[in-house]
Amino acid sequence: MQYWLMKSEPDEVSIDDALAAHGSTVAWFGVRNYQARNFMRDAMRVGDGVLFYHSSCDEPGIAGIAEVASTPYPDDTQFDSKSAYYDPKATRENPRWVLVDVRATQKTRLMTLPELRSIPELADMQILRKGNRLSITPVTPAEWRCIMRHINK
DNA sequence: GCCAACGTTGGC
DNA sequence: GCCAACGTTGGC
């Protein structure tokens, strides 16, 4: 069992959107970074814990809890020439981008970046490092437990 | 809107 | 294979 933090722009897919989706499950489309893709393709397992993070918005932070709900499969938006995520170099025979399904399990209070930064145990979290841009990052069991403890207060 | 950080592209 | 130029991310 591993833990992850996954960024989503709430304008596109928020924790509320995910909870309202069929089976509270959404396809994590649009990842176009090889490192983040490789986490989904190679490391994630069904049932892994996910921190649902809202990025590029008024109040960035952890907004809910989710879990990995599928094995990896091709991201259809790469084949759609009308999509912002279209990749002309990808083909159905040779997909370049994969995704997993993510099932939202709980909307939480918003744990903002300043709050996360204020917790000494979380000082090494990848999301808090300067220049962090990766949209999917691993979370250690200790970080996960710490966040679970704080988020329900 | 700014800008630091970092990934990608493409000429050589 | 190097690396400069360029593009993107994302908090502020």
Side-chain angles (χ1 to χ4, degrees):
Chain A
M1 169 90 158
Q2 286 187 269
Y3 300 102
W4 308 93
L5 182 146
M6 299 176 78
K7 293 181 190 171
S8 183
E9 301 192 10
D11 286 351
E12 195 146 27
V13 183
S14 69
I15 183 71
D16 291 317
D17 296 332
L19 281 167
H22 180 250
S24 298
T25 301
V26 289
W28 209 265
F29 63 90
V31 169
R32 295 294 181 269
N33 169 283
Y34 290 106
Q35 238 185 305
R37 178 203 69 181
N38 292 349
F39 283 139
M40 291 196 285
R41 191 189 62 185
D42 306 330
M44 282 188 180
R45 298 292 178 266
V46 172
D48 279 1
V50 173
L51 301 172
F52 198 113
Y53 181 93
H54 283 173
S55 73
S56 295
C57 56
D58 282 351
E59 279 196 301
I62 297 168
I65 312 297
E67 62 187 18
V68 175
S70 80
T71 52
Y73 63 96
D75 178 346
D76 265 343
T77 62
Q78 72 193 295
F79 310 124
D80 176 3
S81 60
K82 291 180 197 72
S83 167
Y85 299 113
Y86 177 60
D87 182 346
K89 290 178 185 159
T91 62
R92 298 241 176 223
E93 297 69 38
N94 243 329
R96 178 177 294 203
W97 305 107
V98 298
L99 51 70
V100 297
D101 290 341
V102 172
R103 181 184 306 117
T105 52
Q106 183 195 355
K107 181 179 181 174
T108 62
R109 72 181 180 85
L110 187 73
M111 250 183 112
T112 63
L113 274 181
E115 181 181 358
L116 292 168
R117 287 190 202 286
S118 76
I119 301 171
E121 288 168 87
L122 301 179
D124 291 332
M125 267 193 92
Q126 243 173 282
I127 189 82
L128 301 181
R129 287 181 202 158
K130 193 174 178 186
N132 160 75
R133 295 186 336 178
L134 252 195
S135 64
I136 300 177
T137 49
V139 172
T140 68
E143 289 163 352
W144 176 273
R145 284 194 303 271
C146 176
I147 287 163
M148 290 305 114
R149 212 176 326 118
H150 281 82
I151 210 160
N152 293 313
K153 276 183 193 164

